[in-house]
Amino acid sequence: MTRAMFADCGVIFFRDQQISEAQHIAFAQRWAPININRFFAAHPAYPEIARVSKEGDQTSNIGGEWHTDHAYDLEPAMGSILVARELPPQGGNTLFASMSVAYEALSEALKTKLCDLKAVHSAQHVFSARGTYDVDNEAGDQRIGNAVAAEQLPEVIHPVVITHPLSGRRALYVNPTFTIRFEGMTAEESQPLLHELYAHSIRPEFVHEFVWRPGSIAFWDNRATWHFARNDYQGYRREMHRITLAGEPLRGARPV
Ligand code: SIN
């Protein structure tokens, strides 16, 4: 597998892999430095690995809204490598949407308008003490933490249409979890266009639903895709190990 393949596909799936945590880390390091997630519970022995888990007695899952990882960072994560460790008997699929295909399907007039816009991203409303994860989660849930760090996160601005750093292809770079508004507009003013883009981006022809099996791994590009973890396996445990790879500042679709 090459960087060109990764850039071309946006997400790559592997089946029937029996890899240890150390091999997961070694594979990740071949691609980029590891960007340790500040909000998810870390693996007790391997801090580079974030545990994305849901116990049988928990009702909320992690990642159950469309998003792309670390969009709230100045240099958003290049990619994420998710390894299935324990799966429910059925359900718990992950959906991936292509943001370059979604962009390309827009009208020329809307593409032109979007190329001139930037958007503000944040994780405060998600990971802070008053954030959505805290509100939804059961008391004593240790899966998400570091609310103080979330409160201190500055808002960051990225182009709404990026030029992908590897492929050079254009992609939409706003998402329903971390994008809070367009630069120069209020959140309220931004909502109609953001919602139009969100509804457009998850049209079935842009989405692939991945069915996990023991030994499955998904490696996705956070600059080219969104993902969404289905929460349809109540009463069963699901545990995934995620490593997030460092990225770089994003360039817009217009020369600066
Ligand atoms: C994530 O959002 O990174 C996790 C996706 C999943 O658990 O399927």
Side-chain angles (χ1 to χ4, degrees), residues 37-39 72 123-124 127-129 145-154:
N37 186 283
R38 288 153 281 172
F39 306 112
Y72 48 83
Q124 281 192 18
F127 297 125
S128 71
N146 216 353
V148 174
E151 293 288 353
Q152 289 164 0
L153 273 181

Side-chain angles (χ1 to χ4, degrees), residues 40 52 62-63 67 69 82 92 94 212 220 227 229 238 240 242:
F40 293 1
V52 178
I62 293 174
H67 66 285
D69 300 332
L82 192 69
T94 307
W212 294 92
W220 64 83
H227 56 282
R238 180 178 184 270
M240 317 295 272
R242 196 181 88 187

Side-chain angles (χ1 to χ4, degrees), residues 85-164:
R85 294 295 180 193
E86 185 173 338
L87 294 170
Q90 60 203 9
N93 298 346
T94 307
L95 281 68
F96 293 88
S98 170
M99 290 303 107
S100 36
V101 177
Y103 170 77
E104 285 155 15
L106 293 169
S107 69
E108 291 307 315
L110 189 50
K111 283 181 190 166
T112 303
K113 174 174 169 173
L114 294 175
C115 284
D116 288 327
L117 295 179
K118 291 184 176 171
V120 181
H121 302 252
S122 174
Q124 281 192 18
H125 61 288
V126 180
F127 297 125
S128 71
R130 61 197 148 71
T132 46
Y133 270 120
D134 257 35
V135 170
D136 293 350
N137 284 350
E138 300 82 359
D141 189 338
Q142 302 293 309
R143 292 177 296 172
I144 301 286
N146 216 353
V148 174
E151 293 288 353
Q152 289 164 0
L153 273 181
E155 293 180 346
V156 300
I157 295 177
H158 301 301
V160 167
V161 179
I162 59 164
T163 299
H164 191 278

Side-chain angles (χ1 to χ4, degrees), residues 163-226:
T163 299
H164 191 278
L166 293 175
S167 68
R169 206 168 160 189
R170 290 182 180 188
L172 270 179
Y173 196 79
V174 287
N175 72 85
T177 300
F178 297 119
T179 307
I180 52 178
R181 57 187 171 82
F182 293 111
E183 185 187 39
M185 291 169 70
T186 65
E188 199 174 33
E189 288 165 344
S190 306
Q191 285 316 306
L193 181 52
L194 283 176
H195 283 294
E196 183 185 336
L197 295 175
Y198 298 159
H200 165 83
S201 299
I202 55 169
R203 274 169 40 184
E205 59 269 39
F206 310 148
V207 173
H208 175 76
E209 179 157 4
F210 184 61
V211 182
W212 294 92
R213 296 200 304 248
S216 297
I217 300 174
F219 180 11
W220 64 83
D221 187 325
N222 283 303
R223 293 85 49 97
T225 58
W226 287 354

